[in-house]
Amino acid sequence: MDELLKLLSEICPKVDFVKEKKLIDDGILDSFDIISIVNELNEHYDIEIDVDDLEPENFNSVEAMLELIHTLQNE
Amino acid sequence: MNIVSLFYLAFVAVVALAYFITPRRFRWVTLLIASIANYLSYDLKLAVWMLVTSISIYTGGLLIERQEQKYAAQLKAQPDLDRADKRALKKQNERVKRRYAALVAAINIAIWVVFKFADLFITTLNKYLSTGLSLWHLVLPLGISFYTLQAVSYVVDLSRGKCEVQRNYFKLLLWLCFFPQMLQGPICRYRETAPQLYEPHDFDYRRVKFGMQRMLWGYFKKLVIADRVVTISERVFGHSGEYQGLVFVIGALAYTIQIYADFSGGMDIIGGAAEILGVYMPVNFDHPYFSRSISEYWRRWHITLGAWFREYVFYPLSISRGAQKLTAACRKRLGPNMAKMLPTYLAMVLVWILNGIWHGAGWQFVAFGMYQGILIVLGMQFEPVFEWIIAKLKIRTDCFSWRLWQMLRTLALIMGGRIIFKASGLYEALRIGWSILKIHNIWIFTDGTLFKLGLNAWEMFVLFVAVLVLLTVSLLQERGVHIREAIERQNLVFRWALYIGAIATVILLGVYGPSYDAAGFVYAGF
């Protein structure tokens, strides 16, 4: 979790990833942020986030992103 | 059927009545009959293209479902597959489903492209290759720019496993041609709207009342504001050779007000009619002129179109293998940060070109799209520079004046885009822009020029007050006030005085002139 938080904070330094739980629903992350996050996660965790995975429930919180990473790693 | 007509109001009333007295099981059938009748009332022959689209997505949906069943059967028949084989099988399944979706999408987009761009293509060929081909003069099937995008979203969502297949052709047809939104949107996603269409809704006084109020508000925007201010924008841009400098700013402001009141007013009429029937349309406008940046503006203007381009063009392009390869190839030359952003920026500019083309066949619409895309990219790329300047000049950013400045700056940029959109051509748009920069004829505000743009002093006064009402309501909504609920809490006399006053305003101050037809809606023309 800490590793992911550090990574996300580097991509979007102005966003409080610990506190915010509706990053997409509340419009905190825009489409550019999402693409940047997807590219970083793919590279860092050696996974392949597909366009099918770009759902608000997968990116609304750091926990949701972590779960997505684990799901894709276990596939 | 023109949605700004007494006939349409009667039609909605009859459909609502028929809907609520139909047995619950068949209520969706009432909506289907009404929607088909509505579509056929426009044009009988062109309805065939709606039929082609509906059949294509219905067939595509069934093929995708069959593939999904085949995949499930394969998994069941081979329980001992290892992880790698399972992954390969899943990938193959996704590939096949996407091929079906791509085929159906290609068919529908090809139909739309032919109708929309055939004459532009022939004109270009004749101009540069002297081919001498005659124009086709195709009449665009009504709502094709909207229902084509809906159709594509259905098959793509199915292939991505984001919605359930519809096995009943007639139910799918209803979703595609639902009468309130068929002509000018909003562009509905199947999983959000379709279940509401099929589920029977009972008569609910409060909901019906709210729906009617929203329709009335839409008629106010359309008839009192849009159809009045159109006189100024048509006068200025239709006779642009006669004007210079700040008159174009007035024209651009008029068009900026007109297009918002026209399109969002239409959405209120459509949304209100649907609400009466128990169907909630997706939000298409979120007070866009209060935006503080161009990217925020486009998240609040024509939201469903923006969402469509984001889901089906921008995301797939930005995270595609091609984008990854481009990043890798540019890393050495451009550095890691720029190399990562480049594919996203390119995808963004492409999306905006497509967005521009969606609005019209012509180079000025390409330029309109590029203008928006470039502004967004520049805004992002230079954000650190702006922040540095703000810090150096010690500008306070947590106050009203800064927010107001940001809004006015964004509005000015939007008006620049409106000039490209509305001018008779790209060259003319550039000439107008240059004239604004070069000629500062501030005296037009005192020498009576403003009253020679098609509206006399009284008409200008009515327009001013109406825009003030729109601005006040928008500000209240922006601050989280729910207007209809607030009215509901008032006393009976006040409520009815307000209703009668609003109806009288629309009847007495609405403009019932040459634009009194369906084509009068700017977005219905797309």
Side-chain angles (χ1 to χ4, degrees), chain B residues 34-49:
Chain B
S35 300
I36 292 173
N38 173 63
Y39 200 90
L40 293 181
S41 76
Y42 285 110
D43 201 315
L44 209 61
K45 275 188 279 179
L46 290 174
V48 73
W49 295 104

Side-chain angles (χ1 to χ4, degrees), chain A residues 10-21:
Chain A
E10 278 167 16
I11 305 165
C12 308
K14 289 178 189 166
V15 178
D16 186 347
F17 285 96
V18 179
K19 201 178 105 193
E20 301 292 352
K21 301 295 168 203

